[in-house]
Amino acid sequence: MKLNHSLLTIIAFFTITFCFGQMDSYSKKIELKGIDSLWHAIEIPNVVFEDVNTNMSDIRVYGVTATDTIEAPYLHKVSKAENANSEIAFNLLNSVNNSKGYFYTYELPKSETINEILLNIQDLNFNWEVTLEGSQQQKEWFTILEDYRILSINNDQTNYSFTTLKFPEASFRYYRVLIKSAEKPNLTSVNIVKKAKKAAEYRDYDVQSFTVSQEDKKTILDVDLQNRVPLNLLELTVDDNIDYYRSISIQYLVDSVKTEKGYFKNFSPLATRTLSSLEDNSFQLPGTLAQNLRIIILNNDNQPLKISDIKLKGYVHTLTTRFIQPANYYLVYGKQYANSPNYDISKTTVSLPKNITKLDFGSVVEIPKPETEITNPIFENKWWLWVIMGVVIALLGYFTIGMMKKEL
C-alpha cells in the first residue's frame, strides 16, 4: 500500500509539473477579467497579433488553480459577411432590336424582390450603356437604371470585365434590359439575383504613413501600419474624375535583410485586383497578418492616378470560450510551431446562450522561462591558462635540453 501511495504521489507531482510547463512554453499572457458564467466571448485585442503565429495556431486559454493548470476550449469565430444569395427563376419573353439597341424582356413567375442582374456576355471588347426598366403589366415602364455602363477590355495589358447590373431593391413582374449597341451582343445567359448580405464587422487600423513613388510606368504605394494585424479589406480613394482601368498588385512585407546598401525588403504577393472608375475601389484580401503593404498600380501609357487616402480593415476575431472550473484564467500566446487546438466543441453542435458577455483584459505579461543552470569553467580567470602554458613550455624546454646533453 505504501508503494502504491508513493507511486501516485510521484505521478501527481509530474502531472502538475507538466501542466505548469504548458504555459512556460508560450511567450506572453493576458489576464482575463469578469468570468461569471459558463460561456464568455474573448475579442482578441490587436496587441496579441504582434506575436502569434501566421495561422494563429498558438492561442490558448489556460486557467491556473492552486494545484493544477487547465485548458478552456473555445470556438474561433471571424466576423465575415454572411451571404444568402438566392437566384430567381424567370422567363425570357422576347428579344428585339431597333435603332436604340437590343431589348431583352424578362418575366418573373411570382413577385420577388431583386437587386442584381448578371449579364454573361462573351464579347471580348465592348463599352456599352444599359437602361433597365421595370413594369407590373407591361403597360407602364419605370426606369431603374439609365446610362449604366458595362464594358470588357481584353488585351496584352488588361483583362477586365464588368457586366453586373446593381441597383436598389426592386419588385416588378417584368424587367426590360436595353443594351445600346450597334451590333448584337453575344449574351449567352442571364442571372437574376436577390443578394442578401449580412455585412461584415471590421476593425479599422490606423495607417501610420504611406508614400507614393513613380517608377517605370508604375505607381508604388508603400503603406506602414502601427502594428502587425490581420488584413481583410483595402480601400483606395482616387481623386481623378476620369475613366480608368488599372491592374494593381497588392503585396505584404515578409522580412527585411540588412546589406551594404541598406535594408533589402522582401515582399510577397497578396492579391491582384483591378482599379476601376466603374466600381468602388474596395478590395477583399485573404486574411494575412502584416504590418507593411506595397501596392503597385500599372499605369501603362496613362498618367498616374492621384491616390489621396488608404484605409485598411480586418475582421474581428472572437474566441467563444467555455469555462467549467473556477481558476485564474489567461489568454496565452506566442509559441512557434504550435499546432492548432483540437477541441470536441468544434466538432459537435453546441447550444450557445443568446447573450454572451465579453471579457475584459489585464496587461500583457511576459511568461518567465525556467532558468538554465550554467556550469562555470574550471578556470574563470584567463591568467591561470597563461601560467599553465608557461609551466608546460618550461618543462618541454627542460626535457629537450636534457636530451640534447645526453646525446653529446
Side-chain angles (χ1 to χ4, degrees):
M1 292 293 292
K2 290 183 179 181
L3 180 62
N4 291 338
H5 179 74
S6 300
L7 182 60
L8 291 174
T9 302
I10 294 172
I11 293 174
F13 171 78
F14 280 108
T15 300
I16 295 172
T17 303
F18 172 75
C19 290
F20 279 99
Q22 285 181 313
M23 286 183 60
D24 291 342
S25 61
Y26 294 82
S27 63
K28 294 182 179 180
K29 65 180 180 180
I30 303 176
E31 185 181 1
L32 300 174
K33 299 180 178 181
I35 300 173
D36 57 8
S37 60
L38 180 63
W39 292 96
H40 283 288
I42 303 172
E43 194 171 292
I44 302 177
N46 288 346
V47 67
V48 172
F49 300 123
E50 283 282 337
D51 299 284
V52 296
N53 293 341
T54 303
N55 59 356
M56 304 184 197
S57 62
D58 55 330
I59 297 177
R60 299 291 188 275
V61 179
Y62 283 130
V64 179
T65 68
T67 59
D68 200 0
T69 298
I70 54 179
E71 184 170 348
Y74 62 78
L75 297 169
H76 187 173
K77 296 185 177 181
V78 183
S79 60
K80 297 180 180 179
E82 295 180 8
N83 292 321
N85 296 348
S86 55
E87 191 167 335
I88 308 301
F90 64 93
N91 300 314
L92 175 63
L93 291 185
N94 57 54
S95 173
V96 297
N97 69 288
N98 59 20
S99 59
K100 293 182 180 180
Y102 289 80
F103 292 83
Y104 303 89
T105 304
Y106 304 100
E107 178 192 17
L108 274 60
K110 59 181 181 178
S111 178
E112 294 280 1
T113 301
I114 67 171
N115 50 18
E116 278 192 10
I117 297 179
L118 286 69
L119 305 176
N120 300 309
I121 301 174
Q122 296 301 309
D123 301 84
L124 293 180
N125 291 284
F126 59 84
N127 185 359
W128 298 323
E129 291 182 346
V130 172
T131 297
L132 174 64
E133 298 173 308
S135 176
Q136 298 296 357
Q137 298 175 344
Q138 296 194 80
K139 293 181 179 180
E140 184 179 8
W141 291 91
F142 299 90
T143 302
I144 301 171
L145 295 174
E146 189 171 14
D147 298 332
Y148 187 95
R149 291 184 62 194
I150 60 173
L151 63 84
S152 174
I153 304 173
N154 191 301
N155 53 40
D156 294 337
Q157 299 175 342
T158 305
N159 185 3
Y160 174 72
S161 176
F162 179 73
T163 60
T164 300
L165 309 183
K166 299 181 180 182
F167 47 91
E169 290 187 350
S171 180
F172 292 99
R173 182 71 183 276
Y174 303 94
Y175 291 89
R176 183 167 64 188
V177 177
L178 164 61
I179 300 178
K180 299 177 183 179
S181 169
E183 299 179 358
K184 184 178 181 179
N186 186 10
L187 180 60
T188 56
S189 63
V190 172
N191 300 92
I192 298 179
V193 175
K194 179 181 180 181
K195 190 171 185 179
K197 177 184 286 188
K198 180 183 177 182
E201 181 183 357
Y202 289 103
R203 184 179 291 172
D204 295 322
Y205 301 125
D206 293 332
V207 174
Q208 195 167 9
S209 66
F210 80 89
T211 58
V212 183
S213 60
Q214 309 296 332
E215 180 182 327
D216 298 331
K217 299 183 179 181
K218 300 175 184 177
T219 298
I220 301 175
L221 309 172
D222 284 312
V223 187
D224 297 329
L225 295 171
Q226 189 172 358
N227 301 304
R228 176 176 178 253
V229 288
L231 301 177
N232 298 96
L233 187 69
L234 167 67
E235 295 179 349
L236 298 177
T237 301
V238 182
D239 290 343
D240 301 77
N241 294 320
I242 59 173
D243 290 335
Y244 55 84
Y245 320 98
R246 314 277 174 94
S247 295
I248 67 171
S249 172
I250 306 168
Q251 306 173 357
Y252 71 100
L253 182 65
V254 178
D255 56 28
S256 57
V257 180
K258 189 175 183 179
T259 65
E260 295 178 354
K261 298 181 179 180
Y263 280 93
F264 172 76
K265 295 183 178 180
N266 180 24
F267 286 90
S268 180
L270 185 60
T272 301
R273 300 288 187 265
T274 300
L275 199 64
S276 170
S277 55
L278 292 182
E279 303 180 73
D280 58 337
N281 292 311
S282 176
F283 308 103
Q284 289 290 330
L285 303 175
T288 303
L289 287 168
Q291 185 174 354
N292 309 93
L293 289 187
R294 173 166 288 178
I295 304 164
I296 301 174
I297 304 174
L298 302 181
N299 297 316
N300 299 315
D301 295 324
N302 304 293
Q303 288 293 321
L305 298 171
K306 296 177 183 178
I307 309 297
S308 61
D309 192 23
I310 296 176
K311 293 182 180 179
L312 284 162
K313 302 180 181 183
Y315 296 142
V316 178
H317 292 256
T318 303
L319 309 180
T320 304
T321 312
R322 185 178 66 192
F323 299 91
I324 297 178
Q325 184 176 341
N328 295 322
Y329 283 93
Y330 299 87
L331 180 66
V332 180
Y333 58 97
K335 181 179 179 181
Q336 196 174 18
Y337 308 120
N339 294 322
S340 298
N342 186 4
Y343 300 129
D344 290 339
I345 61 173
S346 63
K347 301 174 183 177
T348 58
T349 302
V350 180
S351 179
L352 299 175
K354 291 183 179 180
N355 298 317
I356 300 178
T357 57
K358 297 179 182 178
L359 295 179
D360 296 323
F361 302 101
S363 302
V364 178
V365 177
E366 296 275 351
I367 298 178
K369 298 292 183 287
E371 295 184 3
T372 304
E373 186 177 350
I374 301 175
T375 303
N376 295 325
I378 298 175
F379 302 105
E380 292 185 353
N381 196 322
K382 63 181 180 180
W383 289 108
W384 281 103
L385 297 176
W386 287 110
V387 171
I388 293 172
M389 289 177 63
V391 172
V392 172
I393 292 172
L395 290 174
L396 288 174
Y398 173 79
F399 287 115
T400 302
I401 293 172
M403 292 175 63
M404 292 173 64
K405 288 181 178 180
K406 289 181 180 180
E407 291 180 359
L408 295 174

